[in-house]
Amino acid sequence: MLADDSVLERQRRDLETIEREVETVRRDLATQRAARAELARELQQAERDVASLARAGHQLAIEIADQESVIERLRRALADEQQALAREQRALADLLRAVYAAGPADRLKLILNQEDGHRLTRLLSYYDYINRQRRERILGTQARATRLVELAAAADEEVDRLRRLAEHQGRSQQKLEEAQTRRRALLAELEQTIAGRGERVAQLEADAETLRRLITSLEQREQIDAEADVQLVPIAQRRGQLGWPVPGRLVTRFGAPKDGGPMTWDGIVLAVPEGVPVRAVHPGRVVYADWLRGLGLLLIIDHDDGFLTLYGHNQALLKEAGEWVVAGETIALSGTTGGRDAVGLYFALRHQGRPVNPEQWLAARAH
């Protein structure tokens, strides 16, 4: 069989998987865009609330300023009335002292003494005038006292109204801040949701494009040269006897969860220092030696009978597509390409395009 056939089958399956995932993410993105429309409506309402509260706060500030002016006017009027009351009290005291000094019997004495008529008339008029002034000043003092009480009550009422307005302004300000906080949260959620989904779609489409180019390259590759027709021991007969590609420690097992998500590892990862020789586990033909998204510098060997071995995250590839290798031959140097944080070799085994557990095919050794 052609070496490229198994690779093509595997890559086509991978491409179909990615294309299905792209479609799923696109559907999710459509759902998120619908959610974005809803968030936009909520955002619009939040902004309207902010504007309404801002207008109310502005109007409230004007009313508070007006009430402060009223309070100031009342305070000035109150001071004026207090001064007038003091003057009336002093005048009343002076009048009372004058009447008291004249004595209660003076008027009667004037009448009985039969003194000069003109003088008597003037004196009687004087007493009448004093009595009228006394009554008027007493009534005036009482009226000013009543007015003073009314003004004081009005001042207290305005002060209480000002306090209620201030409390209302505080509550309105709190609502304004809450509305602004909701606006920021809605905006951040909106931007993060759309950006995240868009980035995921772009990444998947880039992965799919990489696989398409690889498939095209493999489809154009010529049949394996007849001159390299080496008689190989079938790899199926060496199950449990294959040599390890590197002497590193096993850090990721076949089938383990990948990045905490639903996907699982279709190979194993061996931790090794950078630059360690990577060796072929069985003779075969190199059918792929290039960079691949997610696996970095990747080398694939076809061992016939539908078996492929994959070596990823290499620092450098020492073989090219089309070259034959023997078991134990150095084919690459370990590294961190393809986005790995730690140095390690990705090693996988495929049969008829399906992942199989490579640990079951490697010779037993201490881990």
Side-chain angles (χ1 to χ4, degrees):
M1 60 176 293
L2 296 179
D4 289 350
D5 291 345
S6 298
V7 179
L8 282 172
E9 182 66 21
R10 168 183 170 274
Q11 299 300 340
R12 285 182 179 128
R13 287 196 181 102
D14 289 347
L15 180 59
E16 291 174 358
T17 300
I18 291 177
E19 288 176 340
R20 285 195 298 269
E21 188 174 357
V22 168
E23 183 60 28
T24 299
V25 175
R26 280 177 175 165
R27 286 196 300 269
D28 292 343
L29 185 57
T31 302
Q32 292 296 333
R33 283 172 177 162
R36 178 180 63 180
E38 179 63 24
L39 287 174
R41 285 190 291 271
E42 295 178 5
L43 180 58
Q44 180 184 13
Q45 185 59 46
E47 290 178 343
R48 290 181 182 275
D49 292 342
V50 168
S52 177
L53 288 171
R55 288 193 299 269
H58 178 71
Q59 183 61 35
L60 186 56
I62 295 175
E63 293 181 12
I64 289 176
D66 291 343
Q67 294 306 323
E68 288 176 344
S69 299
V70 171
I71 291 294
E72 183 60 26
R73 289 195 300 272
L74 286 174
R75 285 174 180 169
R76 290 195 297 268
L78 181 59
D80 293 341
E81 292 300 329
Q82 287 174 337
Q83 293 176 3
L85 177 59
R87 288 193 301 270
E88 294 298 336
Q89 287 175 336
R90 288 193 298 271
L92 180 59
D94 292 341
L95 180 59
L96 291 175
R97 281 194 296 270
V99 172
Y100 178 78
D106 284 354
R107 184 172 183 178
L108 180 61
K109 288 178 180 180
L110 289 172
I111 296 173
L112 294 176
N113 288 338
Q114 296 294 320
E115 295 184 3
D116 179 50
H118 293 291
R119 181 172 180 271
L120 177 62
T121 301
R122 288 196 301 272
L123 289 174
L124 290 176
S125 298
Y126 173 71
Y127 276 109
D128 289 338
Y129 172 77
I130 290 176
N131 287 332
R132 287 197 303 273
Q133 287 295 314
R134 180 174 60 184
R135 287 195 300 271
E136 290 176 0
R137 290 186 182 278
I138 291 173
L139 293 175
T141 301
Q142 291 175 343
R144 289 186 184 278
T146 301
R147 178 60 177 164
L148 179 62
V149 172
E150 292 174 352
L151 288 173
D156 289 339
E157 182 179 352
E158 293 302 327
V159 168
D160 185 61
R161 173 176 168 78
L162 180 60
R163 179 185 58 80
R164 291 196 301 271
L165 288 174
E167 291 176 354
H168 179 69
Q169 184 187 40
R171 291 192 296 270
S172 298
Q173 181 65 30
Q174 182 178 0
K175 290 180 181 179
L176 176 61
E177 293 174 355
E178 290 174 354
Q180 290 173 335
T181 300
R182 288 196 300 271
R183 178 185 180 277
R184 287 192 295 267
L186 288 171
L187 183 60
E189 181 180 356
L190 180 63
E191 295 298 334
Q192 184 178 3
T193 299
I194 299 303
R197 289 296 179 178
E199 182 179 352
R200 180 60 177 161
V201 168
Q203 178 183 346
L204 289 173
E205 288 179 342
D207 291 346
E209 181 59 28
T210 300
L211 282 177
R212 290 189 189 100
R213 290 197 300 267
L214 175 59
I215 290 171
T216 300
S217 175
L218 292 175
E219 287 174 342
Q220 294 175 349
R221 186 169 296 165
E222 296 181 352
Q223 184 177 356
I224 298 176
D225 296 336
E227 64 186 33
D229 187 12
V230 179
Q231 297 298 321
L232 301 175
V233 176
I235 191 173
Q237 297 179 15
R238 293 187 53 80
R239 181 184 176 94
Q241 303 174 21
L242 297 177
W244 288 70
V246 291
R249 177 173 55 90
L250 180 64
V251 294
T252 302
R253 292 186 176 276
F254 178 87
K258 196 170 187 178
D259 297 329
M263 300 182 66
T264 58
W265 283 91
D266 60 356
I268 62 175
V269 178
L270 301 168
V272 290
E274 193 169 30
V276 169
V278 178
R279 304 183 186 279
V281 300
H282 190 73
R285 177 81 174 224
V286 177
V287 293
Y288 183 79
D290 203 348
W291 191 92
L292 186 67
R293 187 183 183 92
L295 292 176
L297 290 174
L298 173 67
L299 190 141
I300 302 175
I301 300 176
D302 183 2
H303 304 286
D304 285 339
D305 296 330
F307 286 92
L308 299 173
T309 52
L310 293 77
Y311 311 77
H313 300 307
N314 297 288
Q315 180 189 56
L317 302 178
L318 305 181
K319 298 294 180 179
E320 296 180 356
E323 291 188 72
W324 282 92
V325 297
V326 298
E329 184 175 358
T330 300
I331 57 176
L333 300 177
S334 61
T336 59
T337 58
R340 276 195 61 80
D341 294 329
V343 182
L345 173 71
Y346 165 82
F347 175 71
L349 178 65
R350 301 289 179 92
H351 182 233
Q352 301 298 341
R354 297 181 181 277
V356 295
N357 188 351
E359 291 185 67
Q360 299 174 355
W361 290 74
L362 297 173
R365 68 172 175 83
H367 297 299

